[in-house]
Amino acid sequence: MNTKKMVSPSLLSADFANLQRDIEMINNSQADWFHVDVMDGVFVPNISYGQPVIKYIKKHAQKPLDVHLMIVDPDRYIDSFKQVGADILTVHYEACTHLNRTIAHIKEKEMMAGVVLNPHTPVCVLEDIIQDCDMVLLMSVNPGFGGQKFIENTYNKIQQLVELRERKNPSCLIEIDGGVCVENSQKLYQYGADVLVAGSAVFGAENPVETIQKIKGLL
Ligand code: DX5
Ligand code: ZN
């Protein structure tokens, strides 16, 4: 398996009173992207932050912003997330009525376009959209909160997604989000994940920089 072995630390678990400090830590680590979780309190039972905060994250971040939209009707905000500096924009399959149009809109704005599946949504729904995706993100917890337990069925879904990707779009990246830690990271890469999101495992660690290296399998 030709996995990219990337890590995208989730700022949801960062210290918001010391956000610049935590961003600099990621800048100086071997992390690849910043994972930025946007929650609206409707699509998920939690509210996080939106464009004004992301604009300031962008001022300090020296790596791409991987923005995960957990909001209803994301089409309304695609342009504004581009304006504040999103490089990768992922939208939930469950939140988009016209997903083909939404993906085309994200690409028109010159961002990488990704589709996210909730744990209960089968991989087969991607059959007629994966050819347009730069990335598929599989949720390995029910979205809304950091620090939840990894759902083991995710491994089966990665296998199915790898098979679909080979048939329809070999360059599509596979990202996993939720409950990722040092203990399960190597298995996830072996199954075919390219990018692992890690929030509490990184920011809750005594040594976050070292933990990022361990997740990547470099230590
Ligand atoms: C959950 C978010 C995740 C979250 C992951 O809804 O999409 O990105 O921050 O947190 P951990 O790594 O702690 O499970
Ligand atoms: Zn996320």
Side-chain angles (χ1 to χ4, degrees):
M1 194 75 59
N2 212 359
T3 167
K4 308 265 184 298
K5 284 205 175 190
M6 296 165 78
V7 172
S8 189
S10 169
L11 288 175
L12 193 63
S13 295
D15 177 349
F16 275 74
N18 289 288
L19 201 48
Q20 187 178 354
R21 182 201 65 193
D22 284 359
I23 292 169
E24 294 301 347
M25 181 276 288
I26 302 294
N27 283 340
N28 294 319
S29 77
Q30 279 171 301
D32 298 275
W33 296 344
F34 285 87
H35 187 78
V36 180
D37 288 301
V38 179
M39 305 177 181
D40 66 356
V42 179
F43 183 71
V44 287
N46 196 11
I47 299 175
S48 57
Y49 47 75
Q51 293 88 334
V53 174
I54 297 175
K55 193 171 144 193
Y56 285 98
I57 293 174
K58 187 69 178 180
K59 270 178 81 171
H60 302 287
Q62 288 163 13
K63 299 175 184 193
L65 297 191
D66 163 30
V67 179
H68 174 193
L69 297 185
M70 285 161 275
I71 63 176
V72 294
D73 203 1
D75 300 68
R76 293 173 296 165
Y77 301 109
I78 291 171
D79 294 14
S80 71
F81 281 108
K82 172 68 185 179
Q83 270 165 24
V84 296
D87 298 282
I88 302 139
L89 203 61
T90 58
V91 294
H92 271 259
Y93 168 83
E94 302 85 2
C96 298
T97 313
H98 303 289
L99 188 53
N100 182 283
R101 181 186 291 151
T102 307
I103 293 296
H105 187 170
I106 295 171
K107 287 176 151 181
E108 244 166 56
K109 291 285 155 189
E110 294 177 338
M111 293 180 280
M112 268 176 71
V115 171
V116 193
L117 298 187
N118 274 334
H120 73 278
T121 304
V123 168
C124 61
V125 300
L126 298 169
E127 186 79 35
D128 292 304
I129 192 70
I130 193 166
Q131 67 277 5
D132 300 316
C133 297
D134 297 307
M135 184 162 81
V136 171
L137 168 49
L138 296 179
M139 288 308 304
S140 38
V141 298
N142 288 294
F145 304 93
Q148 301 183 81
K149 192 175 172 293
F150 181 84
I151 297 172
E152 296 288 324
N153 185 50
T154 308
Y155 295 113
N156 297 326
K157 292 180 79 174
I158 300 174
Q159 277 179 326
Q160 292 164 30
L161 183 53
V162 164
E163 189 271 319
L164 179 64
R165 165 171 79 169
E166 264 160 32
R167 265 196 299 123
K168 296 230 161 162
N169 182 2
S171 63
C172 179
L173 295 175
I174 298 177
E175 185 174 40
I176 306 298
D177 185 7
V180 172
C181 57
V182 173
E183 290 69 31
N184 59 19
S185 60
Q186 298 318 298
K187 186 170 172 186
L188 288 164
Y189 289 133
Q190 274 159 21
Y191 269 72
D194 298 292
V195 190
L196 300 182
V197 175
S200 50
V202 168
F203 291 99
E206 253 179 50
N207 189 336
V209 170
E210 208 176 280
T211 301
I212 290 166
Q213 282 177 287
K214 284 184 181 161
I215 291 174
K216 292 186 86 161
L218 301 171
L219 263 190

